[in-house]
Amino acid sequence: MNRVPWIDPLAEAAARPLPLTGDVHADVCVVGAGAAGLASAYLLAREGRRVVVLDERGVVCGDTARSTAHLTTWLDDGWARIVRIHGQERAWLAARSHAAAIDRLEAIVLLEEIDCGFERVDGWLCPQPGDDPRRLDDEAAAARQVGFDVEEATHPPVRGLATGRCLRIAHQAQCDPVRLLRGLAAAVERHGGHVYRARAVELGGDGPVRVVVAGERTVEADAVVLTTHAPLTDVHGLEEKQVANRTYAIAATIPAGTVPVALYWDTAEPFHYVRVVRGPDGAADLLVVGGEDHRTGDAGASPGRWDRLETWARERFPMLGDVTHRWSGQVLASLDGLGFIGRVGSRPQVWIATGDSGTGLTHGTIAGMLVADEIAGRGNPWSEVYDPSRLRLRAVGDLSRGALGVAARLGSWLTPGDVAEVEAIRPGHGAVVRRGLRKVAVYRDEDGRVAERSAVCPHRGCIVAWNEAEATWDCPCHGSRFAADGARLAGPAIRGLAPLDDDAAAVPQPGGGLII
């Protein structure tokens, strides 16, 4: 079972956008139809600009659709770290941007009549046994420094989530992310934009930018916005300024009304996050529980992650019924806690948005607001905060450790394979096998048939690892993901694992990003 409660595969397949069948011209071309792409496209279309959105799979096929949709001003790193790294003034601007994003989403939902279950709720930060009590004090003080209304409480509404003091953060929100995306896409079309199913492979042109898509069609635009979650090209050293993590979630039934509707977070490492989805007409609610994060491509990507989430939830929510859904998603976490939004230095007509650090819906809306302002020439007060070229000195140590981690993973070229022989691989599983200088990604399906591809990620030459939980090949360096048969699932790689008759697959081949 790998299902998301808000995704109906049959309905989504029927609603996929049409492919791009001819060359087109637009004022703005947005690449990527997740939260950032559709928010950007919507706000630009509302201003009368001709907007074209391109996505290789469709509107609800990316990580936004796999979000648990916590619309929150409480960032994963906590405001104490954000203030320490960025200073109070920038942290204050970042805080205002996330609050403004929730307000803007609420306004859009009302204006466009998007039925996505948007509702305002409280957020609760729940310390765990063994936490230094000063940590809660520091977080509360930092949150107040950047203008948030936080209250200390003796316990959260669900007492089992904390053993002592906790923080209540008002004016948070939640929604159904898929219905939100569909509503935004429909609104883009109503305001004169177009959403196409197409994969961008190259950017060119000295004046207007030419976006070349697979199939040799082109979109010529005065401005391009790249919102593909993982950037399809490495600019401003972004690949080393953020890391890709897998995060896991389950949904289980609970009797209607037994858990107060709110957002809940603990302070474990990795932390857990919880929300309630109201059942229709008094039917059972769903409790959504997430956590168990780990670096993409690292060992430990096993179905046991979901089992541990269920155990954790049953210990704290004794009313928990059957687990009906379980799924996972990818989070790109910047090393300084804030995302990257802004112009690509070498191409002033090109903007990029990435590194949402677990707050994709609010970060994506911030991206739309910021990009719309800059394309209109208005300027935006958050531009310097989210500048992709920034390098905060207090995060340099984290940046160095990230670079060393990539270097260590490139060293996997020198290690043995996961197993010595293909025969050791069980049906339904994969493993990396060494053959002389080569490393081969081998998958054996349930019927015993074997598929072999190069184990070299075509993006930067790292060796992929088998993800048992999701039956995928994942790159530990920059987070590219591939199906069991080697087909590309997610970037920054722009092609799949190479067949073994490709001699270039025998040695590291750095590169493989979008050509700009």
Side-chain angles (χ1 to χ4, degrees), residues 200-204 210 212 232-233 347 494 512-516:
V201 295
E202 184 178 343
L203 303 185
R210 293 177 66 252
V212 182
L232 296 181
T233 183
R347 298 295 298 269
I494 62 170
L514 187 70
I515 301 170
I516 69 168

Side-chain angles (χ1 to χ4, degrees), residues 269-504:
E269 293 290 344
F271 74 97
H272 301 88
Y273 45 98
V274 180
R275 62 165 286 197
V276 177
V277 180
R278 298 180 193 270
D281 302 321
D285 295 337
L286 282 180
L287 189 75
V288 175
V289 180
E292 289 291 329
D293 298 22
H294 65 83
R295 180 83 175 251
T296 301
D298 278 358
S302 72
R305 299 275 176 175
W306 288 303
D307 296 338
R308 289 197 288 275
L309 280 180
E310 182 178 353
T311 297
W312 181 91
R314 291 194 185 281
E315 289 172 351
R316 291 156 179 81
F317 300 92
M319 74 292 291
L320 202 69
D322 293 336
V323 173
T324 56
H325 303 79
R326 66 180 192 181
W327 71 102
S328 59
Q330 187 124 305
V331 173
L332 290 179
S334 73
L335 296 179
D336 65 11
L338 297 179
F340 301 104
I341 308 166
R343 280 186 170 91
V344 172
S346 60
R347 298 295 298 269
Q349 317 100 307
V350 180
W351 279 258
I352 197 165
T354 186
D356 58 52
S357 299
T359 53
L361 287 172
T362 50
H363 181 264
T365 307
I366 292 166
M369 297 163 73
L370 191 158
V371 167
D373 281 347
E374 291 194 346
I375 287 177
R378 291 188 291 266
N380 183 284
W382 313 323
S383 294
E384 194 270 340
V385 174
Y386 292 102
D387 181 2
S389 67
R390 72 177 186 268
L391 183 62
R392 306 288 186 237
L393 293 179
R394 294 194 179 200
V396 167
D398 292 328
L399 176 61
S400 300
R401 285 192 291 274
L404 288 172
V406 170
R409 287 168 173 83
L410 282 168
S412 61
W413 271 89
L414 306 176
T415 62
D418 301 328
V419 297
E421 298 177 345
V422 172
E423 289 70 24
I425 302 173
R426 293 175 290 138
H429 293 265
V432 174
V433 178
R434 174 174 286 284
R435 290 184 187 154
L437 292 177
R438 291 182 183 271
K439 280 201 161 180
V440 182
V442 182
Y443 172 69
R444 185 186 297 276
D445 70 18
E446 296 291 353
D447 296 322
R449 293 185 293 266
V450 171
E452 298 185 342
R453 307 291 282 187
S454 168
V456 181
C457 177
H459 177 59
R460 296 285 180 189
C462 292
I463 300 298
V464 297
W466 176 249
N467 178 335
E468 183 182 354
E470 300 168 272
T472 58
W473 298 104
D474 297 353
C475 178
C477 289
H478 303 110
S480 296
R481 304 184 67 239
F482 309 88
D485 64 1
R488 175 188 173 275
L489 294 176
I494 62 170
R495 58 181 182 271
L497 299 178
L500 294 185
D501 58 5
D502 182 351
D503 289 339

Side-chain angles (χ1 to χ4, degrees), residues 216-228:
E216 298 184 351
R217 303 297 184 185
T218 63
V219 177
E220 187 177 76
D222 298 324
V224 171
V225 187
L226 301 176
T227 63
T228 52

Side-chain angles (χ1 to χ4, degrees), residues 2 47 58 85 88 104 113 122 180 194-195 200 203 217 231 248-249 270 303 345 352-353 389 456 515:
N2 196 335
E47 294 190 1
I85 290 176
Q88 184 173 345
R104 180 61 65 89
E113 299 181 342
D122 288 336
L180 175 64
H194 298 284
V195 181
L203 303 185
R217 303 297 184 185
Y248 298 80
I352 197 165
S389 67
V456 181
I515 301 170

